[in-house]
Amino acid sequence: MNSAGASALSQGCAGCEVCGLVVRLPVPAGAASCPRCGERLHGRRPASIERTWALTIAALLLYIPANLLPVMTTNTPLGAVSDTIMQGVVELWSPTSWPLAIVVFVASVTIPLGKLIALAYLLLTVQRGSVRSNEQRVRLYRLLKFIGRWSMLDVFVDTFVVALIQLQPLMWVEPGAGVIYFAAVVVVTMVAVNSFDPRLIWDLPQQEKQAHG
Amino acid sequence: MAGEGVPAAATAATASAAGGTLLACPDCDLLQRLPPLPLHHAACCARCRAPLCRHKPDSLERTLALALAAAILLLIANLVPMLGLSVAGREAFTTVLGGVIAMWREGSQVVAMLVLFAAVIAPALEIGCLLLVVLAVRRPPAPHWVATLLHGYEFVREWSMIEIMLLGVLVALIKIAELATVIPGLALFVLGSLVFLLAAMAAAFDPRVAWQRIEWAAGGAAGGAEAMR
Ligand SMILES: [Zn+2]
């Protein structure tokens, strides 16, 4: 078989996304499963663009309450103080702990927002059938997959601050409503990145029309 | 570690004569033949440079040893105290599960479940699945349920977040340090070692070796799909 420089789909086959086996797709495109691992086979993930758009927009909406609502409330006999994510970063800023403040800022603010912008960029360029800077775009996708999970950092910070500071009636910390939204942003963006099919980046516009299911 | 990236298609001509494996790049779908890899070398996609595979000597034995060690460390890490707090003559200790329970009690049940999954259940499944897979494929052909486990392992790996939790604990520790004296517990050091052990375990495991030893699902009868060699 001579297939140098061709995508698997253009040759009528697909690499199984679970076990990697290259399988010839049935000619009238229909449901097929991998003969080795039994998983459903797709030339491209079905409705990848629509699904990724929906998840990206959902994450963007969740991002607003995640940043506006407090993630924790510190109670003392003198009263209660609530902190949002950004206020938590500011509080962490001190002559000794500023590197950690930067880490938390990057993980909690920059990465989620950057992920949403990058996903929108990838989706728009794929929808336009762009053939430029494919290598940079697939590298961006791999970066998103790699760093996305680090946004969970603030969820763990809040959890262990809450767990340790339970010194009633002196001082105790409660989680705020913002944590749930923030955790949801992280989970939804991770699912969004996974639902995007990076192979779409390389498809030529005319190839899409004859694509197998 | 010392491996250099060898573009898979660069040697495609010689490889097809020698019967290399046919594969499609997961990131760009480029069809290419992978030559048998020299010792300690890695192959990457000729078009998009995605890492395709790496030659991992004694993959199954090394994975088994590392997974066993990781299982023991994970057990210890969840049984002993992780962080202590001393303020005004009162001491309070918490474990990883203590954090989950506190979050649950304070009204964030959803977040508590997420932390439980990412910090305890997913790492346990990650180690457990891999242990069973490595043990089951020692005598090929392994039954088909091993394929399900291997699939589960790939999924759970992304949600296993011990290294992120550890950084989170460090930040929490510094936040609290201005209010009270913080006492690092044994679990903190065990979790630190576990991060490296989990990374080594994932690096030692070669899924291609495992797939080659697992019984096929359908024997090619599934909706006209047939394997290509
Ligand atoms: Zn590629």
Side-chain angles (χ1 to χ4, degrees), chain A residues 12 24-32 41 210-213, chain B residues 222-225:
Chain A
R24 180 165 294 286
L25 292 167
V27 174
L41 273 175
Q210 56 176 50
H212 298 243

Side-chain angles (χ1 to χ4, degrees), chain A residues 142 202, chain B residues 25-30 32 45-50 52:
Chain A
R142 286 200 283 264
W202 304 84
Chain B
C25 172
D27 281 3
C28 76
D29 211 27
L30 183 72
Q32 48 207 307
C45 172
R47 179 159 72 177
C48 76
R49 305 259 140 204
L52 292 176

Side-chain angles (χ1 to χ4, degrees), chain B residues 19-113:
Chain B
T21 1
L22 184 69
L23 54 81
C25 172
D27 281 3
C28 76
D29 211 27
L30 183 72
L31 211 51
Q32 48 207 307
R33 252 180 213 287
L34 193 75
L37 277 179
L39 211 61
H40 300 298
H41 273 61
C44 61
C45 172
R47 179 159 72 177
C48 76
R49 305 259 140 204
L52 292 176
C53 65
R54 179 176 280 279
H55 180 267
K56 294 170 178 172
D58 310 319
S59 167
L60 296 177
E61 286 78 9
R62 290 180 53 223
T63 309
L64 179 61
L66 290 163
L68 279 173
I72 294 165
L73 285 195
L74 185 69
L75 195 67
I76 298 173
N78 281 292
L79 293 178
V80 300
M82 182 172 66
L83 273 181
L85 188 77
S86 159
V87 62
R90 291 168 64 172
E91 277 198 7
F93 273 92
T94 188
T95 56
V96 179
L97 281 173
V100 173
I101 292 164
M103 228 29 186
W104 183 278
R105 253 200 341 243
E106 297 299 315
S108 279
Q109 282 88 357
V110 179
V111 180
M113 295 307 290

Side-chain angles (χ1 to χ4, degrees), chain A residues 6-9 19 22-24 26 33 35-37 39 44 100 142 149 153 159-160 164 167 174-175 194 198 202, chain B residues 23 27-29 31 48 50 82-83 85 87 106 144 151 158 160 163-164 168 174 211 217-218 222-223 225-226 228:
Chain A
S7 76
L9 188 59
C19 73
V22 178
V23 181
R24 180 165 294 286
S33 53
R36 179 157 75 181
C37 70
E39 275 305 306
R44 297 288 176 265
L100 277 180
R142 286 200 283 264
R149 42 209 292 289
L153 181 66
T159 301
F160 290 105
L164 276 170
L167 305 157
E174 290 167 328
N194 284 340
W202 304 84
Chain B
L23 54 81
D27 281 3
C28 76
D29 211 27
L31 211 51
C48 76
M82 182 172 66
L83 273 181
L85 188 77
V87 62
E106 297 299 315
H144 191 68
H151 190 190
E158 198 179 3
S160 155
E163 71 278 29
I164 303 166
I174 284 173
W211 280 119
E226 88 185 84
M228 296 173 66

